[in-house]
Amino acid sequence: MEAAVLIRQDVTAIPRDTRTSTRTIAVERRLRRSEALRPPERGDLVALRVLEGCLRVCHPLLDGRRQITDFLFPQDRISLMEVRCHNGSIEAVTSARVSLFPSDGLDGDDGMHADHYRARLGAMQARLFMLGHKNAREKLAAFLLEMSDRIGGGEDTFRLAMSRYDIADYLCLSPETVCRNFTLMVSDGLLALPDSQTVRILHRAPLEFIGR
Amino acid sequence: MEAAVLIRQDVTAIPRDTRTSTRTIAVERRLRRSEALRPPERGDLVALRVLEGCLRVCHPLLDGRRQITDFLFPQDRISLMEVRCHNGSIEAVTSARVSLFPSDGLDGDDGMHADHYRARLGAMQARLFMLGHKNAREKLAAFLLEMSDRIGGGEDTFRLAMSRYDIADYLCLSPETVCRNFTLMVSDGLLALPDSQTVRILHRAPLEFIGR
DNA sequence: CGTTATCTTGATAAGTCTCAATGCAAGTGG
DNA sequence: CCACTTGCATTGAGACTTATCAAGATAACG
């Protein structure tokens, strides 16, 4: 039992300095049905799987900035309850197709099981280590290696769906710092950037050394 | 079915510049029985509850530093599997008494349920926001408020069990920065430090404003 | 009472953010 | 079709925060 949904990019123009999204998930209003803190009822949409495209999980901060806690690519699953519990939203980075899974009515059900939670905890733990002790160069190296795996299936050349601003909010850096470190890596010969969205990893080993 | 264990401080002197623990949990070797990645077998110790004292959850980093992901106080529970999965260890900050819970043999069982995982994810999410976007002063304010709740039950005066080094590794700062910000808060009249371990919050409202 | 670890403070260096300006590409309306 | 707008990417200059290195102060302990 699942519903396939097409999510299109929304061109709602939101002032840039708020650092909020310029493209809002069109289906977001539908998902809000399950945002309340009440236990989900039978039929509430409680989980999402990406079929196509790229999404981001955003959390607004008190100072008006935002944090992106994850990007979602095809085959990735996420619990909408988990996102909603932390005041988050799911937004479309590109147009995307997703499957939405309704609750089977069990209390607290979001279609996720202990293994999935353990995996999520592991991913967050890794992000904790990264945010705590990596500098900008190391964060970017780790990010590119992660994207190489998740977008390109480990290929050296892949296309980043997200903007420098998205990357900055994911790595907790300013977009300028992200940009400067892209430039540095290119001039160090680690990367090539045929265009600003396309990344080619030229020397994976040193990149792994930096990003580990 | 549970085993109560007394954990004493171990005085293994480890050179300070490694930033590793100076007090190692004596029972640690016993806990390693359940560290393997195999599913726990009936009788393996898979969860811990603190009865008395203070523990820390430590994770060594590749550069030799460590990250403390949590402090544990009486009534806190933790999954040993979760700790072990991330190469972590549990160490005694003070002498402590804990209960250890054996697995009932269910696959992947650590005595924790979905609600508990959700709570853990929430706590980590909060830490993520903190590490990403708070400066040293804000981190320390948030830390003190957290400790006031967890140690002192919300009282304004409480005693920190952990050293400045522990606090630094928890907040991902240098101990010097932690120290300086203690001093600053005292000279700003927010805090009093009768001795370096005892904290008295003099003005909670501004502290909450900073730490939020 | 010396030894040791911890806490504190200072000086300096390094890294990152902020503010500002420019370039570029895509879309819009006349 | 072309000026115009808009958002994103890039680069520079300066300020600010934090880490690092160093040294002194304090407290705990044998």
Side-chain angles (χ1 to χ4, degrees), chain B residues 14-21 64-66:
Chain B
I14 294 173
R16 166 178 159 178
D17 57 6
T18 65
R19 300 290 298 282
T20 49
S21 166
R65 292 187 293 189
R66 67 171 182 172

Side-chain angles (χ1 to χ4, degrees), chain A residues 39-206:
Chain A
E41 290 165 12
R42 177 178 298 275
D44 278 350
L45 300 175
V46 291
L48 177 153
R49 191 178 74 224
V50 181
L51 301 175
E52 213 181 299
C54 175
L55 309 178
R56 64 185 168 224
V57 183
C58 294
H59 298 260
L61 302 179
L62 292 164
D63 59 4
R65 291 186 294 189
R66 67 170 183 174
Q67 182 144 348
I68 293 178
T69 52
D70 206 2
F71 292 106
L72 302 173
F73 298 102
Q75 307 314 321
D76 290 337
R77 292 163 186 271
I78 192 163
S79 156
L80 300 181
M81 289 174 56
E82 184 190 320
V83 173
R84 278 290 163 210
C85 279
H86 306 305
N87 198 28
S89 63
I90 299 174
E91 303 175 348
V93 173
T94 65
S95 293
R97 273 194 322 123
V98 303
S99 294
L100 296 169
F101 296 88
S103 168
D104 63 7
L106 296 178
D107 190 49
D109 170 64
D110 55 8
M112 306 289 173
H113 300 299
D115 282 348
H116 191 271
Y117 276 113
R118 268 190 281 271
R120 296 278 306 154
L121 275 173
M124 287 188 69
Q125 191 87 261
R127 269 179 68 64
L128 261 177
F129 293 151
M130 189 190 73
L131 292 185
H133 287 290
K134 282 192 167 73
N135 65 23
R137 187 180 180 79
E138 294 163 344
K139 285 178 181 177
L140 187 57
F143 171 77
L144 292 173
L145 292 168
E146 182 193 345
M147 290 301 111
S148 166
D149 280 341
R150 294 180 64 186
I151 303 176
E155 289 298 311
D156 285 338
T157 301
F158 52 93
R159 192 169 172 74
L160 296 172
M162 68 293 290
S163 72
R164 300 287 190 261
Y165 290 84
D166 287 339
I167 298 172
D169 289 338
Y170 183 65
L171 300 179
C172 296
L173 294 169
S174 70
E176 293 94 334
T177 297
V178 172
C179 196
R180 274 183 251 270
N181 279 277
F182 264 114
T183 304
L184 283 175
M185 285 184 178
V186 169
S187 60
D188 288 347
L190 295 173
L191 297 181
L193 289 175
D195 65 275
S196 68
Q197 304 274 108
T198 306
V199 175
R200 170 168 302 161
I201 296 177
L202 298 177
H203 296 291
R204 185 172 287 261

Side-chain angles (χ1 to χ4, degrees), chain B residues 27-56:
Chain B
V27 79
E28 175 67 4
R29 275 178 295 278
R30 283 189 55 183
L31 303 186
R32 284 177 190 269
R33 279 202 291 157
S34 58
E35 80 182 324
L37 295 177
R38 64 172 171 76
E41 290 165 13
R42 177 179 297 273
D44 278 348
L45 299 176
V46 292
L48 176 152
R49 191 179 74 223
V50 181
L51 301 175
E52 213 181 299
C54 175
L55 308 177
R56 64 186 167 223

Side-chain angles (χ1 to χ4, degrees), chain B residues 71 79 88 116:
Chain B
F71 293 106
S79 157
H116 190 271

